[in-house]
Amino acid sequence: MQAIKRILVVIDPTQTDQLALNRAKLIAGVIDAELHLLVCEDRDDHVRTLDKHCADLKAAGLQATSSQAWHSNLTDTVIHVLSSQGCELVVKQHLPDNPLKKALLTPDDWKLLRYCPAPVLLVKTTASWMKGNVLAAVDVGNHDDQHHVLHDTIVSHAADIVEMINGELHLVSAHPAPMLSAADPIYQLRENIATRYRDQAQRYAEANGLDLEHMHIAEGPADTLIPKVARQIGASVTVIGTVARKGIAGALIGNTAEVILDQLDSDILVLKPEDTLAHLERILEK
């Protein structure tokens, strides 16, 4: 997170309280990053509002530019401006989705999480992050290289935020229920599964300098456990990974990050594995 030098802030002109702008302003002040403000709309002219925000930011000692654009939809607009402005993080306010609309159409923020080639911070609250708890969601029982890289990225970003806000780092990992048909005997008994995940969590904690008391390992679906732990510890921000899932499976199931979005009380920072980012970048180049 410390390496981010330019942040794209999505401005919603219909909102009085610009939660995304306020959060991005604080982050930029700490990591010395520039801000680019974007209104995704082609109807009304919001240049005067953007100029006012930029003037206020410059008065506060921050570098800021702005633009208003529209390319078919919100996600395409964000991605286009992200690339043209050389931004490395997107900050956007998240508003709860209408359940009926969500059942019929893929929400804009879900699309943004799936296809944006940069980390996305969705802001949900006005609460201060300072001296708060940061929750990193990983799967310590998954050993493939892709997940190892993603987990390291998640923990690294979470640790950067902890240092930035003088907070505390927590880690959550859900493990599956026993399955008698599992090929690996370990996954046929609840005690064996729990032991494996605890052992992996301990090794992960030692390797990353984490406090074992801040490791939350339990059985159950991740989309249930993560919001539960976030509420228990009063997380200021939850850091999680996602993949670009497409087609019917993506429409009906969604990724964990998408499913928990409206369940979390905290802000949420969503990251992607490197190979997914490379795939998205190849698509954008075409």
Side-chain angles (χ1 to χ4, degrees):
M1 194 126 184
Q2 301 287 351
I4 292 171
K5 294 304 177 186
R6 195 161 172 81
I7 300 171
L8 177 61
V9 188
V10 180
I11 300 294
D12 183 348
T14 67
Q15 298 298 308
T16 304
D17 296 324
Q18 293 294 332
L19 271 61
L21 179 58
N22 293 336
R23 191 71 78 208
K25 178 181 176 181
L26 293 174
I27 295 172
V30 173
I31 66 175
D32 193 26
E34 298 177 358
L35 298 173
H36 183 79
L37 315 187
L38 170 66
V39 169
C40 300
E41 188 178 311
D42 63 350
R43 298 184 300 273
D44 299 324
D45 187 340
H46 297 283
V47 172
R48 182 176 295 181
T49 299
L50 288 170
D51 287 345
K52 174 68 166 55
H53 286 316
C54 285
D56 291 343
L57 291 167
K58 290 174 182 176
L62 297 172
Q63 295 295 316
T65 56
S66 66
S67 63
Q68 179 173 341
W70 185 253
H71 298 273
S72 302
N73 56 63
L74 183 142
T75 298
D76 286 352
T77 305
V78 170
I79 292 173
H80 180 88
V81 176
L82 178 81
S83 176
S84 65
Q85 292 294 327
C87 297
E88 300 150 298
L89 171 68
V90 175
V91 182
K92 180 183 179 297
Q93 181 175 350
H94 174 73
L95 299 173
D97 295 300
N98 179 288
L100 179 59
K101 182 180 177 181
K102 187 163 60 174
L104 298 172
L105 300 170
T106 303
D108 283 336
D109 284 351
W110 284 28
K111 294 177 185 175
L112 187 61
L113 295 184
R114 292 180 194 184
Y115 301 115
C116 182
V120 177
L121 173 64
L122 292 176
V123 183
K124 301 185 65 176
T125 75
T126 58
S128 171
W129 282 8
M130 297 308 298
K131 296 185 178 180
N133 291 321
V134 179
L135 181 63
V138 299
D139 179 1
V140 295
N142 201 311
H143 304 296
D144 67 64
D145 291 340
Q146 180 181 354
H147 279 84
H148 271 304
V149 172
L150 180 57
H151 295 164
D152 290 345
T153 302
I154 290 170
V155 174
S156 174
H157 276 72
D160 283 348
I161 296 173
V162 166
E163 182 178 354
M164 184 172 67
I165 67 174
N166 192 24
E168 291 190 333
L169 178 60
H170 290 250
L171 188 145
V172 59
S173 183
H175 65 72
M179 298 172 287
L180 295 178
S181 60
D184 187 341
I186 289 289
Y187 289 95
Q188 294 177 4
L189 290 174
R190 177 172 283 105
E191 295 78 9
N192 292 346
I193 299 173
T195 298
R196 168 174 282 192
Y197 269 71
R198 280 196 301 268
D199 290 346
Q200 290 294 332
Q202 183 167 348
R203 281 197 284 272
Y204 201 87
E206 292 170 353
N208 292 277
L210 301 176
D211 188 340
L212 278 176
E213 293 183 358
H214 291 172
M215 303 284 288
H216 308 274
I217 314 297
E219 177 185 316
D223 54 21
T224 298
L225 182 63
I226 294 170
K228 178 182 177 182
V229 172
R231 283 191 293 269
Q232 287 175 344
I233 68 171
S236 297
V237 58
T238 299
V239 186
I240 190 171
T242 190
V243 294
R245 179 175 290 159
K246 296 175 288 184
I248 294 176
L252 296 180
I253 302 171
N255 291 295
T256 300
E258 299 164 2
V259 175
I260 68 173
L261 191 50
D262 286 336
Q263 301 177 43
L264 283 170
D265 297 324
S266 69
D267 296 345
I268 178 170
L269 175 64
V270 182
L271 311 170
K272 293 185 180 71
E274 289 298 325
D275 61 344
T276 299
L277 292 178
H279 173 66
L280 289 172
E281 287 168 356
R282 285 195 297 271
I283 292 174
L284 292 174
E285 289 172 358
K286 294 180 179 178

